[in-house]
Amino acid sequence: MGLLSLLPRSRFRVRLTHAATEKQPQIDKRAFSEYIREKCPTLADPDKAFYFPSWLLPHGDMQTIYLYTQHYKLAGCPVDYERQIFEFSDGGKAAMDWAFPRKSVAPDAPLIILIPGIAGTSFDYYARSFIHSIMQDNCACQVVVVHSRGCNGVDLKTPKAFHGGMTSDLREFVKYVSKETPNAPLFGLGFSLGANILTKYIGEESSSCKFFAAASVCNPYDIDKTVEEMCRPTLKNRYLYAAALTRSLVSLFADNEKVIMAGNADLDPARIMESRNINEFNEAYTAKVFGYSSVKELNSSGSCVHRIKDIRIPMLFLNALDDPMCCQETVPYNEIENNPNLILAYTRYGGHLAFFEGMMLSAWLPRQLSSFVRAMVESQQKTCQQGDAMSAKSVGINSCKGLDGLDVAM
């Protein structure tokens, strides 16, 4: 661990924030946090839950940069996807990539709906490494990666692409898979901006949410504050994070300019192409096509932090305090602690979606996520097998799909 080995062990402990145990929902006759502590010891047991960053990547910037070099390397955790093109109610289209052949998975197997980060894809390393971990863990789950419009090889069919708080497309995805796989319990998993969309959606749905549980990784929570920080004129923003994200957005516009301009004659394509940061792009394109009066309104209304209080399913939030893209000042400790259905796990190190450890730079994150998924799936399946009709009735659900058997706090 190099110089990191000189630091006290407690510095590397995974910290948890949650409501008092007596307020939490009961899962398998235990409080939510106690259940996770037992089932996910390397994530939640204070004696076993530690994240030691590789001494080769001792801080968040190095972790994050290394992660993005892995997006283009398929060796180590290859995943063969089955692609489906989904059509939205307004005629738009997006890719749904199924991790396993649909006919090979039992119709009642849990279905994990994975939402990548901004303009992310199913081939991003954090997505592939998680799916690979699920495969190794023999969790018997199906995974589908749902993309934003205009991403991963699917051109825009309508002038609107996406924004950080756009939950309407996720709502259509969920409605579709619920109809196609009516017996499959749904688990939500979001990364980065996808975590914000997922969290906001779950809060909007509240007691009607179709997910039985969910997890959020490196969530920005407050888009306005996050983007403001990324737009500061620092060398790091100018040449790394904000620059890379802005280039991806500008590239999406350039690839689909004809379709976008056909429905938005008042847009200035030159101004969009010359955007130097995310706010400039959102001001020139996103706010206008989605009908927002300003970028401030777009960012504020899209932030999931305002919906955390409305979440009614067991949900894990995982963040690193040295995340260079989602600053620690936006982590909503109080909001999470005030909602008994939520647990926040945070580490001092790890960067943005990275969390590499050891000399071999192995991925710590997917193991924690797969253990959480397994724990929630085991509880859900156990309750279904027991046929706990009274518990299902208490949360207003009539089948084993959803929150059946989990005494969720309202």
Side-chain angles (χ1 to χ4, degrees):
M1 288 176 57
L3 293 176
L4 294 176
S5 62
L6 301 178
L7 299 174
R9 182 178 174 83
S10 60
R11 190 176 179 86
F12 305 96
R13 179 175 287 118
V14 181
R15 308 285 180 177
L16 299 184
T17 292
H18 51 71
T21 55
E22 62 269 18
K23 297 181 179 180
Q24 295 174 25
Q26 293 289 304
I27 300 180
D28 199 14
K29 301 180 180 180
R30 284 158 288 181
F32 181 26
S33 61
E34 293 175 346
Y35 178 77
I36 295 305
R37 175 177 176 174
E38 178 184 328
K39 295 291 185 177
C40 311
T42 60
L43 177 67
D45 187 328
D47 295 326
K48 300 176 182 178
F50 294 89
Y51 167 66
F52 298 96
S54 170
W55 66 270
L56 297 171
L57 306 170
H59 58 77
D61 288 316
M62 296 179 70
Q63 288 267 343
T64 304
I65 293 169
Y66 180 75
L67 168 72
Y68 281 87
T69 68
Q70 300 307 295
H71 289 343
Y72 309 100
K73 298 178 181 178
L74 299 183
C77 52
V79 178
D80 293 323
Y81 292 104
E82 177 183 319
R83 169 150 295 189
Q84 176 184 359
I85 303 300
F86 180 79
E87 184 168 350
F88 298 101
S89 57
D90 66 352
K93 295 184 178 181
M96 298 177 68
D97 286 351
W98 298 81
F100 312 108
R102 278 174 280 177
K103 292 182 180 180
S104 68
V105 179
D108 60 349
L111 173 58
I112 301 168
I113 298 180
L114 190 156
I115 305 100
I118 184 170
T121 79
S122 57
F123 289 96
D124 287 352
Y125 181 78
Y126 56 80
R128 289 186 290 111
S129 61
F130 165 73
I131 294 170
H132 191 67
S133 181
I134 284 288
M135 294 167 58
Q136 290 184 320
D137 205 25
N138 296 317
C139 199
C141 294
Q142 174 62 283
V143 183
V144 60
V145 182
V146 295
H147 295 81
S148 296
R149 304 184 190 211
C151 296
N152 205 4
V154 179
D155 294 333
L156 286 180
K157 301 300 180 182
T158 64
K160 294 181 179 180
F162 59 85
H163 64 81
M166 184 175 173
T167 56
S168 56
D169 282 359
L170 177 58
R171 188 166 285 106
E172 289 200 41
F173 278 130
V174 173
K175 182 179 179 180
Y176 169 77
V177 298
S178 296
K179 183 178 179 180
E180 290 295 304
T181 57
N183 296 318
L186 304 182
F187 183 99
L189 175 59
F191 294 88
S192 191
L193 198 66
N196 181 82
I197 293 172
L198 174 67
T199 304
K200 182 170 178 279
Y201 165 80
I202 293 173
E204 290 172 350
E205 294 294 298
S206 193
S207 299
S208 300
C209 185
K210 295 183 182 297
F211 294 116
F212 71 89
S216 153
V217 185
C218 295
N219 193 328
Y221 300 107
D222 188 324
I223 297 178
D224 194 42
K225 289 183 180 179
T226 300
V227 172
E228 179 183 354
E229 184 65 28
M230 294 188 70
C231 289
R232 294 186 186 279
T234 64
L235 289 176
K236 185 164 63 176
N237 284 337
R238 183 173 297 174
Y239 295 107
L240 288 176
Y241 311 119
L245 293 177
T246 304
R247 282 196 301 270
S248 69
L249 295 173
V250 169
S251 177
L252 185 149
F253 172 79
D255 292 342
N256 298 277
E257 181 176 353
K258 185 177 180 179
V259 173
I260 293 172
M261 294 306 298
N264 297 279
D266 59 331
L267 293 178
D268 183 348
R271 184 183 174 195
I272 296 172
M273 294 296 295
E274 293 170 0
S275 300
R276 295 168 298 175
N277 57 50
I278 298 171
N279 266 346
E280 288 187 3
F281 180 87
N282 284 341
E283 183 178 359
Y285 167 70
T286 315
K288 289 185 176 181
V289 299
F290 283 98
Y292 289 93
S293 61
S294 65
V295 170
K296 179 79 173 178
E297 182 189 7
L298 168 70
N299 291 340
S300 297
S301 65
S303 299
C304 74
V305 66
H306 310 300
R307 288 289 185 172
I308 286 178
K309 66 182 186 302
D310 302 315
I311 295 174
R312 296 292 180 266
I313 65 171
M315 189 166 181
L316 171 71
F317 294 85
L318 180 58
N319 286 84
L321 298 185
D322 69 348
D323 187 329
M325 300 179 74
C326 301
C327 54
Q328 62 176 291
E329 288 78 14
T330 66
V331 179
Y333 300 97
N334 291 336
E335 288 84 348
I336 291 175
E337 187 173 355
N338 289 333
N339 186 329
N341 302 303
L342 313 180
I343 292 177
L344 167 66
Y346 60 97
T347 60
R348 188 179 293 271
Y349 306 99
H352 188 68
L353 305 174
F355 298 94
F356 293 102
E357 62 181 357
M359 282 289 293
M360 302 303 293
L361 298 176
S362 59
W364 176 86
L365 174 62
R367 298 197 302 275
Q368 314 314 313
L369 293 176
S370 61
S371 71
F372 179 74
V373 170
R374 174 177 282 279
M376 300 313 297
V377 167
E378 284 181 1
S379 173
Q380 198 272 345
Q381 291 179 337
K382 181 178 180 180
T383 302
C384 288
Q385 291 168 358
Q386 292 173 343
D388 194 346
M390 290 298 293
S391 185
K393 184 178 180 181
S394 71
V395 293
I397 297 175
N398 298 317
S399 72
C400 281
K401 191 176 169 183
L403 284 178
D404 304 15
L406 304 185
D407 184 16
V408 177
M410 306 297 284

